[in-house]
Structure formats: structure tokens, C-alpha cells
Amino acid sequence: MNPFRQPISYRAGQSPSFVGAADLNQDGFLDLAVTNTQDNSIFIFINNKDGSFQDPVQLKTGRQPRSIVLGDFDEDGKIDLATMNNDEDNLYLYLNRSTQGRALFALPTVYTVGPSPFAAAAADFNGDRHLDLAVISRHDRLMILMGKGDGTFEEGMVADPGAIPTGIISGQFNGDAFPDLAIANNGPGSTEFIFFWGKGDGTFQKGEKLTSGMKPLSLLSEDFNQDRRPDILVINGLGDSLSLFLQGKDGRYGNPIPFGAEGGPVAAVAADFSGDGLIDLVVANSRSDNISFLAGKGDGTFQHPPFNIHTGVAPFSLTSGDFNQDGTVDIAVVNNEDQTLSVLLAKQKKRRD
């Protein structure tokens, strides 16, 4: 069953590589932010309050912006943007200055974070109630930036996470109260992702490595089997496969549950898209030019075969949220090679009397 309506396409910039959702203009509706790697820009798509979007507002970035982290870094109640510029050694931080429903951002503050920064995760790593950043660079580097709560950061620890890290998420993965990190390493012949256990003071201890499929590319954490523990899904960049790690009662992760994907899976989002109370999965497949909807069964498995939906050429990234506030979860996808953004609103679910 396809839970989505037909995709609606919007023109993005050259080689869009990432899309994220947040209320960027303070009107209560989710907007979209898209990085365009070839024209060095972020496009801000403002929601018309019905799930359709206005022509984009453009922000200039450094060379080849690859991804965005969204968060209120200066604690003024507005969502700010941090983008990793892959062809530079820096991160641009844009503080949100929106007023009266207009999306406005200050000129960026530049932070040096290491060669070819690719992705980042935001959380309070040292317990001071300010958002911090963990940034991975493709030159085998993890850097922690400690937030001061005023929109500025200072350099924290630096570590080697492994060969060519491309995916990072934060969560409480070992059962204690401190945020941890999980990092996918996409280096030649790699089949691993690695944990960094948070110490609660802004530093991390290198943890265990787990074996997934070939060339892990990105990660996703969700409670797929309804046991209130964070599971981890690995999207493998080679071999067209996904690997699901369920967390056990002892806080450890067992052997992966492998399952096939369409051609070139690159990213995934999880939510209850079908409205049955169970967590489903949507995967972007860059070589198949589609996204796959996999209905969750509630036990960590999914219905097969998936329902595939054509979006555009080479979908690279996707995000989810209730864009039209009808109580259902929608999807936005960026298609890298045809320079478009596809929005798929969910079908209205029938009421159960």
C-alpha cells in the first residue's frame, strides 16, 4: 500500500544533496532547507501553511555544502542552521533572525572543523543544557564543538573515528544517561560502524565496532520493535542492502538483521506513515530513482516486497514531518541529478469508529 499522494516537484539548486525540516520563520508550520553542492547555496522553502512551498530564499555557503544540522544554538526560540562545506575545512553557522513570518538569517560565522566535513549531529554532550556539535570529516576526523548557548562554539576533543566517516547520529546507545555517538565508516572495504561512548563532560571514549554490510554510508536510530530501546539501521553504500541492529535487554546490539534494498540506498527516515501505530521505513535509492516504503510489523521486521515510488533522478536525502498539519506524516526528497525537491503528502487516513 502506498501511503502517499503523487509527488509535487519544486526546482532546487544544482546537485541538491540534503534536505531538513523545521519551522524556520516562526509561523508554526514546517519549512524545508536544501543544500546545493554545485552552486554553493542553501535554498529555504517556506511553507504556505498547506503543505505547498514558496519559491526558495537562497543563502550562500562555502564550497560544496553537503549537509545541515538544525537547532536553536543561541537559545532565542528560533531554529538556526549549521552546514558542512565538503570542499573546505569549515562549517558555516547561520543564526535565525526571522521576524513576522519572514525567514531571515544573519551572515554566517565560520568554524574550522577539518578537511572535507561531511555530516554532524547536535546534542548536549556535557550536561550544561546548551547544544553541542559532533562533526565528522571524510579525512578520518571527529571534532566536538562545545556550544556556549549564545550561538558560539569552542573547540573540544578531536578523535579518529575510522576510514572516511560519512554518517553520524547521537543517542543513548549503551543504557547510561549520557549521549553517545554512532559513526558509519565508508572507507575502502569497510563493513563497520563504531560507537563513541559519551562521558557526560563533552568527551567520548572509543567503543565497540559492529559489522554491517559493505561500505556503511548513513545511520538511523528508532525503536523498531517497540521495546523502548534505541535500535540502529545502517544504510550500506555497496551491495544494495540495509542492516538492522536491535538493542537487547543488556543494552548491547546483537547480530544484524540484513535485508535487501533497491539500487543505491543512501538515506532513510522512520515514522508511522501508514497510521497503524507501527514504525515504518522510507529509503531513498539513488540508482533506482525512487524511494521505497517498507511497512513495519512492530517486531523489527518489515513487509516485503516494498512499495517503490518514483521521485526524480538520483534521490540523495529525505526528511519527514506533518507539512500540512492534517495529522499524517509527509515526506520531502531531494533528487540530485535532476535538481528537484519532491514533496509527498500523506493520504488522509480513514477514521476508525
Side-chain angles (χ1 to χ4, degrees):
M1 181 191 73
N2 179 9
F4 302 107
R5 306 178 201 172
Q6 284 293 111
I8 301 170
S9 292
Y10 299 84
R11 178 59 60 183
Q14 295 183 44
S15 297
S17 61
F18 181 89
V19 59
D23 178 9
L24 298 175
N25 66 340
Q26 297 284 288
D27 67 353
F29 284 78
L30 289 175
D31 310 303
L32 298 171
V34 175
T35 57
N36 303 298
T37 59
Q38 293 305 309
D39 60 11
N40 304 328
S41 70
I42 297 173
F43 277 12
I44 306 296
F45 291 85
I46 296 300
N47 197 325
N48 287 317
K49 301 183 180 181
D50 60 2
S52 67
F53 294 86
Q54 300 173 19
D55 291 339
V57 176
Q58 184 173 354
L59 301 177
K60 293 305 293 181
T61 67
R63 294 190 303 273
Q64 293 189 7
R66 183 57 183 82
S67 61
I68 297 173
V69 176
L70 301 134
D72 183 6
F73 300 116
D74 60 355
E75 300 173 9
D76 65 351
K78 301 174 184 178
I79 300 299
D80 310 306
L81 305 175
T83 184
M84 275 49 66
N85 299 307
N86 184 60
D87 197 33
E88 295 182 6
D89 60 354
N90 60 34
L91 170 155
Y92 278 19
L93 176 66
Y94 301 83
L95 295 180
N96 193 330
R97 298 291 183 250
S98 297
T99 61
Q100 299 178 341
R102 296 180 60 204
L104 300 172
F105 291 86
L107 292 175
T109 304
V110 181
Y111 292 90
T112 300
V113 292
S116 301
F118 200 77
D124 176 11
F125 297 132
N126 62 349
D128 64 356
R129 300 185 181 180
H130 305 316
L131 277 178
D132 310 308
L133 289 170
V135 183
I136 51 171
S137 300
R138 287 170 61 85
H139 285 251
D140 309 350
R141 180 181 172 97
L142 165 68
M143 171 180 277
I144 308 299
L145 293 176
M146 306 309 301
K148 298 180 181 180
D150 59 359
T152 65
F153 293 84
E154 61 183 14
E155 183 176 332
M157 69 166 282
V158 175
D160 181 354
I164 313 183
T166 54
I168 182 171
I169 54 175
S170 178
Q172 294 176 320
F173 300 130
N174 64 353
D176 65 16
F178 305 131
D180 308 306
L181 299 172
I183 299 174
N185 290 316
N186 193 243
S190 174
T191 59
E192 69 183 30
F193 73 98
I194 186 171
F195 289 109
F196 278 77
W197 305 129
K199 297 180 181 180
D201 60 359
T203 65
F204 294 82
Q205 177 183 350
K206 186 176 287 190
E208 63 183 309
K209 299 177 181 179
L210 294 182
T211 300
S212 61
M214 288 296 298
K215 293 177 71 69
L217 183 61
S218 60
L219 304 164
L220 172 67
S221 181
E222 185 57 78
D223 179 11
F224 289 108
N225 60 349
Q226 299 183 309
D227 64 355
R228 300 184 180 180
R229 298 183 179 90
D231 308 311
I232 295 177
L233 180 78
V234 184
I235 296 90
N236 302 304
L238 189 64
D240 301 338
S241 71
L242 309 174
S243 302
L244 178 60
F245 292 80
L246 300 177
Q247 191 185 69
K249 294 180 180 179
D250 59 358
R252 299 180 63 85
Y253 291 87
N255 293 326
I257 302 170
F259 51 104
E262 299 298 303
V266 290
V269 289
D272 178 13
F273 298 111
S274 60
D276 62 357
L278 304 177
I279 297 296
D280 309 309
L281 193 63
V282 176
V283 182
N285 306 299
S286 61
R287 290 202 320 275
S288 297
D289 301 336
N290 64 19
I291 60 174
S292 296
F293 168 69
L294 295 91
K297 298 180 180 180
D299 59 358
T301 64
F302 301 89
Q303 295 181 19
H304 277 82
F307 190 94
N308 297 320
I309 305 164
H310 177 78
T311 54
V313 182
F316 258 37
S317 173
L318 70 173
T319 190
S320 62
D322 186 357
F323 302 142
N324 57 355
Q325 294 193 5
D326 66 351
T328 61
V329 185
D330 312 307
I331 290 284
V333 186
V334 287
N335 305 297
N336 185 264
E337 292 187 16
D338 64 5
Q339 303 173 15
T340 58
L341 164 72
S342 298
V343 175
L344 294 83
L345 298 178
K347 298 174 182 176
Q348 188 65 45
K349 306 301 184 295
K350 294 182 180 180
R351 292 184 59 183
R352 297 177 180 177
D353 297 324

